[in-house]
């Protein structure tokens, strides 16, 4: 009987290890391709919040999903560097509202649209609503405000999120974070 439990325990351990390997493999992200940058027509690339504009002919990596977390700054207001209305509700959102755009993998075909996530950093947490995709697969065109594709690890946040995390304004732009579905 003791031998049976030893074998069963060993088998269970092997199954758990294999399952965790398969799960962690599914969480890994790899570059999915490259696109060539196009120069924006005059006045078409909004550089608010130090947003980068595509460079004619430069190759940009595209990604399929996310893995590590980096908070970046974005304006979701009309005329802001976020470009057009938000993907989830076709609306613009005030910079005073805690909203975010997630990299394509985390956005997951709109599955997180209008749901809240909890963002933690700097010893604080804030709840923000997912309203947009930070496209990791496309960029450098009018739909994307002539900005390159997002990296695969981005949570692009409104000013309200940065304020709630207590980050001094002169340090806004890039911050390592953790986040989870709220």
């Amino acid at each position: 009987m003791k031998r049976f439990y030893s074998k069963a325990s060993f088998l269970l351990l092997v199954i758990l290890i294999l399952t965790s390997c398969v799960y962690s493999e599914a969480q890994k992200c790899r570059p999915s391709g490259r696109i060539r940058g196009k120069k924006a027509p005059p006045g078409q690339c909004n550089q608010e919040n130090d947003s980068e504009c595509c460079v004619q002919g430069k190759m940009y990596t595209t990604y399929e999903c996310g893995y590590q977390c980096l908070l970046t700054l974005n304006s979701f207001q009309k005329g802001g560097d976020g470009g057009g209305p938000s993907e989830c509700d076709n609306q613009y959102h005030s910079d005073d509202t805690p909203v975010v755009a997630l990299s394509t993998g985390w956005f997951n075909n709109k599955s997180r649209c209008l749901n809240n996530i909890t963002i933690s950093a700097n010893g604080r947490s804030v709840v923000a609503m997912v309203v947009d995709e930070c496209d990791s697969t496309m960029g450098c065109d009018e739909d994307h405000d002539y900005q390159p594709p997002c990296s695969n690890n981005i949570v692009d946040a409104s000013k309200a999120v940065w304020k709630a995390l207590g980050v001094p304004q002169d340090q806004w732009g890039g911050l390592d974070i953790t986040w989870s579905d709220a």
Side-chain angles (χ1 to χ4, degrees), residues 15 39 48 94 118 122 128 131-132 155 174:
I15 290 170
K39 185 177 180 181
E48 178 185 9
S94 168
T118 301
N122 206 31
V131 297
D132 208 356
V155 176

Side-chain angles (χ1 to χ4, degrees), residues 111-132:
S111 70
R112 287 195 167 91
C113 272
L114 306 180
N115 291 326
N116 290 328
I117 64 170
T118 301
I119 300 167
S120 301
N122 206 31
R124 296 185 184 187
S125 292
V126 60
V127 174
M129 182 185 292
V130 176
V131 297
D132 208 356

Side-chain angles (χ1 to χ4, degrees), residues 22-38:
V22 168
Y23 177 74
S24 59
E25 181 64 27
Q27 294 298 309
K28 289 183 181 177
C29 296
R30 295 177 185 94
S32 63
R34 297 177 60 80
I35 62 171
R36 186 174 307 279
K38 299 176 192 166

Side-chain angles (χ1 to χ4, degrees), residues 2 11 19 39 48 54 58 64 114 122 132 139 165 168 172:
K2 213 177 197 183
L11 183 60
T19 303
K39 185 177 180 181
E48 178 185 9
C54 290
K58 180 178 176 180
E64 291 182 356
L114 306 180
N122 206 31
D132 208 356
L165 291 173
W172 290 3

Side-chain angles (χ1 to χ4, degrees), residues 1-74:
M1 190 69 158
K2 213 177 197 183
R3 191 171 181 189
F4 170 76
Y5 285 119
S6 286
K7 286 183 178 179
S9 295
F10 177 75
L11 183 60
L12 181 60
L13 180 63
V14 168
I15 290 170
L16 287 172
I17 290 170
L18 288 174
T19 303
S20 75
C21 289
V22 168
Y23 177 74
S24 59
E25 181 64 27
Q27 294 298 309
K28 289 183 181 177
C29 296
R30 295 177 185 94
S32 63
R34 297 177 60 80
I35 62 171
R36 186 174 307 279
K38 299 176 192 166
K39 185 177 180 181
Q44 290 294 307
C45 183
N46 187 326
Q47 292 183 289
E48 178 185 9
N49 300 318
D50 295 325
S51 292
E52 181 183 352
C53 294
C54 290
V55 175
Q56 179 74 32
K58 180 178 176 180
M59 297 302 291
Y60 293 94
T61 303
T62 58
Y63 301 88
E64 291 182 356
C65 61
Y67 191 62
Q68 296 176 346
C69 309
L70 180 68
L71 190 71
T72 56
L73 180 61
N74 187 44

Side-chain angles (χ1 to χ4, degrees), residues 90-159:
N90 203 35
Q91 302 289 317
Y92 291 98
H93 298 270
S94 168
D95 287 337
D96 297 325
T97 304
V99 294
V100 297
L102 298 178
S103 292
T104 299
W106 291 329
F107 190 69
N108 195 20
N109 296 315
K110 296 188 179 183
S111 70
R112 287 195 167 91
C113 272
L114 306 180
N115 291 326
N116 290 328
I117 64 170
T118 301
I119 300 167
S120 301
N122 206 31
R124 296 185 184 187
S125 292
V126 60
V127 174
M129 182 185 292
V130 176
V131 297
D132 208 356
E133 175 183 18
C134 195
D135 199 333
S136 304
T137 64
M138 301 291 290
C140 298
D141 56 19
E142 186 176 3
D143 287 344
H144 298 90
D145 207 27
Y146 292 95
Q147 295 173 8
C150 275
S151 293
N152 63 330
N153 62 341
I154 298 298
V155 176
D156 210 10
S158 65
K159 293 176 183 179

